[in-house]
């Protein structure tokens, strides 16, 4: 609706300062001509807004003009009080600030919308952490935050997955992303996008050099590229397995990143056939966590890999001789 669009323009101008007509048109998904008509309507209604032409021109409000906007709809009011990813606020040290901000928003809401907002805060809770995530390494986000907001380069000591040693990197941060309870630093390294898990950062130091980001590239853009690299990695091996029905839900949850398609389940059979897409043969070893509830049907090389892994585990527990703790005790006696 035009009234909502006018309010959106006013809010954008108050928060962003000078904004070009083309940028407003792109944000609001209308034509530039429509934006100029809306600016004229705002001016007619008494809002001191004006446009400047030229290379560095744009649309802005008269310096010092502010307005308190309370024209929130009922749905917008409720959305503000769904506290998504509460752990994220705590990790950033913003829990108390969030509570204070919401109290101020509640006071500014139109009276008819307050009961709905209060009910939403009591009845809707979003917990972004995963079930049984296990103990997590403590994460100090302070230095990473400082670099992000100060637009400074970072020097990291970082440990990659599966390695004990750390490596040094100099990076240009775009921002921080919380994904399913895990914090990531999104940054460029030598002009290429990189993703660093915050709990694998052993140390971080701000450099005096200003950050060097690619022109016109925002955090959301870099995150989308990195997210696709993780989620849409090419699968080189098609694997067919059968899954016992009593483990199907667990299988679908744990193997979701490798599912080529959802299994065709008739709801009655004792076994359900599923197709996976693996990057390398060795990834099939994780199927052993399902014991005899999952069987690899094809290809033969993947079936053989799982058989070798199972034989290795069996050999470990059937090995003739004393258990390690028994040997260590006898050694101490000697």
């Amino acid at each position: 609706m035009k009234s909502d669009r006018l309010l959106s323009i006013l809010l954008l101008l108050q928060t962003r300062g000078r904004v070009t007509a083309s940028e407003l048109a792109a944000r609001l998904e209308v034509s530039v001509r429509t934006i100029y008509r809306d600016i004229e309507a705002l001016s007619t209604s008494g809002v001191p807004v004006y446009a400047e032409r030229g290379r560095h021109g744009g649309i802005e409000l008269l310096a010092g003009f502010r307005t308190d906007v309370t024209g929130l709809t009922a749905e917008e009011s409720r959305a503000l009080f769904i506290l998504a990813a509460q752990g994220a606020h705590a990790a950033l040290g913003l829990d108390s600030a969030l509570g204070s901000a919401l109290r101020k928003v509640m006071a500014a809401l139109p009276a008819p919308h307050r009961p709905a907002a209060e009910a939403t805060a009591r009845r809707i809770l979003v917990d972004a952490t995963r079930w049984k995530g296990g103990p997590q390494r403590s994460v100090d986000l302070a230095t990473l935050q400082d670099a992000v907001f100060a637009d400074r380069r970072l020097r990291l000591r970082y440990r990659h997955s599966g390695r004990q040693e750390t490596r040094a990197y100099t990076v240009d941060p775009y921002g921080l992303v919380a994904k399913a309870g895990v914090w990531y630093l999104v940054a460029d390294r030598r002009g290429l996008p990189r993703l660093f898990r915050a709990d694998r950062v052993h140390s971080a130091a701000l450099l005096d050099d200003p950050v060097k980001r690619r022109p016109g590239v925002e955090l959301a853009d870099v995150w989308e590229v990195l997210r696709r690299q993780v989620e849409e990695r090419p699968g080189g091996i098609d694997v067919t397995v059968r899954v016992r029905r009593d483990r199907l839900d667990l299988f679908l949850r744990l193997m979701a990143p490798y599912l080529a398609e959802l299994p065709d389940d008739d709801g009655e059979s004792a076994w359900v056939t599923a197709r996976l897409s693996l990057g390398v043969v060795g990834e099939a070893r994780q199927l052993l966590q399902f014991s005899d509830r999952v069987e690899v049907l094809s290809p033969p090389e993947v079936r053989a890999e799982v058989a070798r892994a199972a034989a290795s585990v069996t050999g470990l527990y059937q090995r003739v001789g004393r258990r390690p703790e028994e040997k260590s005790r006898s050694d101490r006696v000697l």
Side-chain angles (χ1 to χ4, degrees):
M1 294 175 62
K2 182 176 180 179
S3 58
D4 290 337
R5 194 169 65 245
L6 294 177
L7 180 57
S8 297
I9 292 174
L10 183 56
L11 290 172
L12 284 169
L13 294 178
Q14 284 193 170
T15 57
R16 299 282 300 277
R18 180 174 297 184
V19 183
T20 65
S22 57
E23 183 179 351
L24 288 173
R27 291 285 298 269
L28 301 176
E29 299 181 347
V30 295
S31 67
V32 172
R33 180 178 296 181
T34 298
I35 291 297
Y36 280 121
R37 285 201 298 264
D38 290 344
I39 296 302
E40 184 178 352
L42 284 172
S43 180
T44 302
S45 64
V47 176
V49 58
Y50 64 95
E52 286 190 1
R53 299 185 180 275
R55 181 179 178 182
H56 301 291
I59 299 168
E60 62 181 311
L61 296 169
L62 189 66
F65 175 79
R66 303 289 298 177
T67 182
D68 292 329
V69 179
T70 57
L72 295 170
T73 66
E75 290 78 12
E76 291 167 343
S77 303
R78 295 177 64 183
L80 287 174
F81 284 83
I82 296 179
L83 306 186
Q86 291 181 331
H89 300 109
L92 296 173
L94 296 176
D95 263 358
S96 59
L98 175 66
S100 175
L102 289 176
R103 286 190 294 272
K104 292 177 181 178
V105 171
M106 179 67 76
L109 284 178
H113 299 339
R114 290 175 191 168
E118 291 173 345
T120 299
R122 292 197 308 270
R123 304 302 180 205
I124 304 295
L125 175 66
V126 179
D127 187 345
T129 57
R130 301 175 63 179
W131 288 111
K132 299 181 179 179
Q136 300 292 324
R137 185 175 181 270
S138 60
V139 178
D140 183 7
L141 295 175
T143 304
L144 303 184
Q145 281 191 83
D146 291 344
V148 167
F149 291 117
D151 290 331
R152 301 258 296 279
R153 305 187 95 185
L154 267 173
R155 183 70 171 172
L156 304 178
R157 295 294 306 182
Y158 186 78
R159 182 187 63 81
H160 290 277
S161 176
R163 298 191 177 185
Q164 295 299 320
E165 72 279 3
T166 62
R167 296 185 63 182
Y169 296 103
T170 298
V171 299
D172 297 291
Y174 283 90
L176 295 167
V177 174
K179 174 74 169 176
V182 178
W183 281 97
Y184 295 90
L185 172 70
V186 175
D188 274 355
R189 179 174 180 263
R190 297 178 179 174
L192 297 176
R194 295 289 299 273
L195 195 61
F196 300 90
R197 273 186 64 139
D199 57 2
R200 293 194 192 133
V201 175
H202 279 238
S203 65
L206 270 71
L207 302 181
D208 293 333
D209 302 330
V211 71
K212 297 179 180 178
R213 301 187 184 109
R214 285 167 283 151
V217 178
E218 298 292 340
L219 171 62
D221 304 321
V222 185
W223 172 251
E224 181 64 16
V225 171
L226 294 168
R227 184 192 64 80
R228 288 181 178 275
Q229 289 178 359
V230 174
E231 296 183 356
E232 300 176 8
R233 59 179 182 174
I237 306 171
D238 289 330
V239 179
T240 303
V241 301
R242 65 173 189 157
V243 186
R244 289 284 299 186
R245 175 168 301 285
D246 60 357
R247 287 294 183 272
L248 182 59
D249 287 344
L250 180 63
F251 174 84
L252 294 177
R253 185 166 69 250
L254 296 182
M255 299 303 294
Y258 303 96
L259 283 175
E261 60 185 33
L262 289 176
D264 187 10
D265 182 10
D266 61 11
E268 299 178 359
S269 304
W271 292 86
V272 178
T273 301
R275 287 185 57 250
L276 305 175
S277 182
L278 304 182
V280 294
V281 171
E283 288 182 339
R285 286 176 169 246
Q286 61 191 298
L287 294 173
L288 289 178
Q289 66 184 305
F290 302 103
S291 184
D292 59 353
R293 296 299 195 270
V294 173
E295 179 187 4
V296 176
L297 301 178
S298 66
E301 62 268 26
V302 174
R303 185 177 174 91
E305 176 70 14
V306 175
R308 281 193 296 271
S312 177
V313 173
T314 302
L316 177 65
Y317 289 98
Q318 290 182 342
R319 200 169 292 159
V320 178
R322 293 171 297 177
R323 297 194 302 270
E325 61 269 23
E326 291 177 340
K327 183 177 180 181
S328 63
R329 283 199 298 270
S330 62
D331 289 344
R332 287 196 296 271
V333 172
L334 293 176

